[in-house]
Amino acid sequence: MELLSIFKESPAFFTAVVGLFSLMIGSFLNVVILRLPVMMERQWRAQCAEYLEDAAKTTAGPGEAERFNLATPRSRCPRCGHAITALENIPILSYLMLRGRCSSCGTHIPMRYPLIEAATAVFSMVVAWHFGVSWETAGALVLTWSLITLSVIDFDHHLLPDNITLPLLWLGLMLSLFNLFTSSHTAIIGALAGYLSLWSVYWLFKLLTGKEGMGYGDFKLLAMLGAWLGWTYLLPIVLLSSLVGAVVGITLVLLRGRDRNIPIPFGPYLATAGWITLLWGHDIMKAYWGWMGVG
């Protein structure tokens, strides 16, 4: 209770503590981002093998039988197999001390790892400063960390794992029982409307063009955001995500010559719009209705 009082009396100190803690969370998110898609692929292969009743003829690669999850095996260099020690696993600092290279073979360590750790800390500090010492902060931090993970996985693999979106959807509905971010009434409608809206757009686009404009993971992600924020914020989320996606997509085509036929994942834009709406949705809606001349 005394620590809680200190946090309430010093919002800056509370925000700094959340930032330091979130650096470690960011390091864990790197593990989830790297390993969860591999775990899912191995599970799919095992299910296919079981269905075909011919495990010996699967295309599983070497080491497929090795135990592989978020905790095992230890993180290692993909080139030389050097096991990462505790001192080499300190968020950001270890990357700087190692000068971005493996201590054993000198292989370059991707810059994305410290960037994800730093981004997790920064976004978490914004959440802590915005909501203060409250249950809203605890819930918003969980949602923020999940959205970061989903965004990067979708960017890498065009995949939004049910392992993350569905538990978060149920968590959002549970929190609505306590009116934490919205009421149960708006949360339930938000989950239904979030899924069905993109599902309808998907099938309309497919009927008109014969192509798939998005994946089912996008439906579930918007349903999850609807469960957290309520149905009234679904339209701002979709509009904001579409605007950001259009700007980024056009920029990639113009500056990098990206093939227009190569699909761009929509999940990161939905996640970004959802996070912005989580913090400033009320202000955005107020400004919008003010601009429209509605009191």
Side-chain angles (χ1 to χ4, degrees):
M1 294 299 294
E2 184 177 351
L3 182 60
L4 192 61
S5 299
I6 294 174
F7 285 159
K8 289 183 177 180
E9 293 172 2
S10 180
F13 178 63
F14 172 66
T15 302
V17 170
V18 169
L20 290 174
F21 176 73
S22 297
L23 282 174
M24 295 183 289
I25 296 295
S27 180
F28 174 70
L29 296 187
N30 276 320
V31 175
V32 177
I33 290 166
L34 180 67
R35 297 192 180 194
L36 183 57
V38 178
M39 292 165 55
M40 294 175 65
E41 181 182 354
R42 293 188 176 192
Q43 183 180 21
W44 294 335
R45 286 182 172 180
Q47 291 172 347
C48 290
E50 182 180 357
Y51 178 76
L52 297 172
E53 297 181 349
D54 193 6
K57 294 183 180 180
T58 61
T59 57
E64 191 81 7
E66 178 186 15
R67 186 178 180 185
F68 189 89
N69 52 43
L70 298 180
T72 305
R74 286 177 54 186
S75 298
R76 63 184 68 168
C77 173
R79 181 175 180 181
C80 69
H82 167 69
I84 307 300
T85 65
L87 290 177
E88 295 173 339
N89 206 26
I90 303 173
I92 298 180
L93 290 179
S94 293
Y95 184 89
L96 296 175
M97 289 187 297
L98 294 170
R99 298 181 180 180
R101 296 188 176 276
C102 172
S103 61
S104 178
C105 67
T107 298
H108 176 70
I109 302 172
M111 186 68 181
R112 63 181 291 170
Y113 296 127
L115 286 179
I116 290 174
E117 292 167 353
T120 303
V122 170
F123 294 153
S124 299
M125 290 172 70
V126 172
V127 167
W129 184 263
H130 183 83
F131 289 109
V133 182
S134 63
W135 286 110
E136 283 83 359
T137 294
L141 286 175
V142 172
L143 182 60
T144 298
W145 300 334
S146 300
L147 291 176
I148 292 173
T149 306
L150 288 168
S151 296
V152 182
I153 291 178
D154 197 29
F155 183 82
D156 287 344
H157 303 280
H158 291 201
L159 175 70
L160 291 167
D162 289 349
N163 311 55
I164 300 176
T165 53
L166 295 185
L168 262 291
L169 187 153
W170 289 110
L171 178 59
L173 292 176
M174 184 189 74
L175 293 179
S176 72
L177 295 173
F178 307 96
N179 294 311
L180 199 59
F181 293 102
T182 189
S183 66
S184 295
H185 179 75
T186 56
I188 294 171
I189 297 177
L192 291 171
Y195 187 91
L196 292 177
S197 59
L198 290 189
W199 179 86
S200 301
V201 172
Y202 166 86
W203 280 107
L204 179 62
F205 183 82
K206 188 172 183 179
L207 289 173
L208 292 175
T209 66
K211 300 178 181 179
E212 296 183 355
M214 63 184 71
Y216 277 69
D218 297 318
F219 314 162
K220 298 169 188 175
L221 177 55
L222 188 58
M224 183 261 281
L225 293 173
W228 277 76
L229 304 177
W231 68 268
T232 55
Y233 287 112
L234 289 177
L235 183 58
I237 291 173
V238 172
L239 293 177
L240 183 58
S241 60
S242 299
L243 176 62
V244 175
V247 171
V248 173
I250 293 172
T251 302
L252 288 174
V253 170
L254 295 178
L255 298 182
R256 301 178 57 183
R258 185 185 180 99
D259 188 346
R260 292 175 176 80
N261 294 319
I262 298 177
I264 299 176
F266 191 49
Y269 308 129
L270 273 177
T272 301
W275 187 79
I276 292 173
T277 304
L278 171 71
L279 272 69
W280 301 291
H282 177 73
D283 296 330
I284 293 173
M285 292 291 286
K286 185 177 180 181
Y288 173 77
W289 291 120
W291 178 71
M292 293 290 291
V294 179

